[in-house]
Structure formats: C-alpha cells, structure tokens
Amino acid sequence: SAPVIVWNVCRHCNMTCPHCYAAASKQPSSADLSTREGLDLLDRLRALGVRVVVFSGGEPLLRADLFELLARAKELGIAAQLSTNGVLIDGPVAQRLAAVGVAYVGVSLDGLPDWNDRYRGFAGGFARALRGLAHARAQGIKTGLRVTLTRRNAGMLWPLLDLARRRHIARFYVSHLQYAGRGLKLQGDDLSVDETRSMLWKLFEAADRNLVAGGRLQIVTGGNDSSG
C-alpha cells in the first residue's frame, strides 16, 4: 500500500529515442539534484513511507554518484529498482548493482536489432542491452524488458515477447506512448482506441497461455487508463 516513486535522476542519455518523455539531451542538466540534495530526497521519501524507488532518467547509469544514491536507499530500507537502456551494464556494473541491493533492472528495447538501433540512435544497442540483461540475471537481479508501443513498432511486439520468454526474463512491460517531451511529436503514430484494445486483448490471451503452460513471465502494461 506504500507509494512507489519513479525518480528521473538525470536528464542526459546516450541515446536519442524519438518517444522520450524526458526529452533527454546528451549533456547533464544544471537542474539535476546534487548528491547532497539527492541523499536528502531519499531521506524525505523514506520518512513519507516510500518503500520502492525506481531510478530512471535519462540514462541513470551516466550519473556519477548513482551508486552512492543506491547505497543510501539500501541503508534506508528502500527497494531500489533501475530503469535503463542497459548498454552500460557489464559484469562489474552488475556486481555493483547487486551489492547495493538493486532488486530489479528494467531494460528498454523498441524493436528488432537493426530497427531498434536506428530508432534509438545507438549502433549495437540491441545486442549490448541483451548482454546487460544477462549480466544482471547472472547476479541474481530480477530483469524486465520494456517496450514503448507505437504504430512504428507494433508488428515487432510479439517477437520481442517471444525473446523475453526465450531469455528467461521475468517481466515484459508494454508502455503506451506518453504525450510528453519528444513524445509530443509522435501523437500521430499512437495506436487508435480500437488498436489499443486489440493489443491489450492479445496480451491478456498471451498471459493466459503462459499461465496454463506454467510459465513465469509477467506481462505488464502501463501509461494509459486502459491498462486499469
């Protein structure tokens, strides 16, 4: 019953996704909280009863003091989760994430390899994201694959769902397009109401088949009232 907080710890990123609701830039923002302010924020959140904080961005792993913030969350008894593009997670980074108590790592992909890398503006990003997921899993961290759905990539949703199953990823999260940041320019690419309803029913059916087969993959949607 406690609130879950998503904290965009920085505004810069090493990718240029067209749908980015934060309109992330390549350079750090002067509006980002300092380390001291970030530590104080975590203290205040814990005092308010917050038990889970999702560290997001931008790309949170670009923030130099991220592990100090994660360590404070652990000290406070806050379950830290990470929302990332995954390309910076190698073996040592995964070990550090596990050491500071990160319980879950969600990695964003938006399509199959070549399309994904062009769309997100990062050559080799698909392969590196999958390696990041594997490194996290090897450290016992629960992992998720995240997809932001538009008409541009709707046809790749099901191959990505199959990929999540084959890779033994714990959670498959489908996000509706957010009309914020650069996502404002993609409103014309959003699914219609009927298309959204059809997609949701297919996901329900996929989840039902998965349960009947004894699969453990969680299928989750968010970012739209229809997900209720």
Side-chain angles (χ1 to χ4, degrees), residues 209-221:
R209 290 194 301 271
N210 182 63
L211 287 171
V212 170
R216 297 185 177 182
L217 177 67
Q218 297 175 331
I219 300 176
V220 185
T221 67

Side-chain angles (χ1 to χ4, degrees), residues 15 85-90 107-118 120 122-136 145 160 163 167 169:
M15 293 189 177
N85 58 43
V87 301
L88 298 176
I89 302 178
D90 56 15
V107 170
S108 297
L109 290 172
D110 290 304
L112 299 177
D114 290 343
W115 190 92
N116 175 85
D117 294 354
R118 290 194 303 271
R120 297 179 70 86
F122 195 99
F126 186 95
R128 287 182 60 176
L130 289 185
R131 287 198 294 271
L133 283 165
H135 285 305
L145 195 159
L160 289 173
L163 173 69
R167 295 274 178 156
I169 292 168

Side-chain angles (χ1 to χ4, degrees), residues 79-100:
Q81 301 185 1
L82 190 68
S83 179
T84 173
N85 58 43
V87 301
L88 298 176
I89 302 178
D90 56 15
V93 168
Q95 289 178 345
R96 293 184 69 190
L97 291 172
V100 293

Side-chain angles (χ1 to χ4, degrees), residues 17-92:
C17 305
H19 62 267
C20 179
Y21 68 78
S25 62
K26 289 292 185 179
Q27 301 300 322
S29 169
S30 60
D32 292 343
L33 298 184
S34 68
T35 301
R36 182 70 263 164
E37 290 170 332
L39 296 172
D40 289 344
L41 174 62
L42 289 170
D43 290 343
R44 292 166 63 190
L45 291 176
R46 184 62 186 86
L48 290 169
V50 172
R51 298 287 182 154
V52 179
V53 173
V54 182
F55 290 74
S56 186
E59 172 46 54
L61 285 167
L62 290 175
R63 181 163 172 142
D65 62 356
L66 177 66
F67 286 94
E68 185 175 353
L69 298 173
L70 292 170
R72 174 59 68 86
K74 182 180 181 181
E75 292 173 1
L76 295 171
I78 294 174
Q81 301 185 1
L82 190 68
S83 179
T84 173
N85 58 43
V87 301
L88 298 176
I89 302 178
D90 56 15

Side-chain angles (χ1 to χ4, degrees), residues 100-170:
V100 293
V102 171
Y104 173 80
V105 170
V107 170
S108 297
L109 290 172
D110 290 304
L112 299 177
D114 290 343
W115 190 92
N116 175 85
D117 294 354
R118 290 194 303 271
Y119 180 77
R120 297 179 70 86
F122 195 99
F126 186 95
R128 287 182 60 176
L130 289 185
R131 287 198 294 271
L133 283 165
H135 285 305
R137 284 188 63 245
Q139 295 299 320
I141 301 173
K142 184 177 180 179
T143 56
L145 195 159
R146 304 168 58 88
V147 182
T148 297
L149 194 66
T150 68
R151 289 182 179 176
R152 299 188 188 192
N153 65 347
M156 290 177 274
L157 179 65
W158 312 112
L160 289 173
L161 179 58
D162 289 337
L163 173 69
R165 288 197 189 99
R166 295 196 310 271
R167 295 274 178 156
H168 304 291
I169 292 168

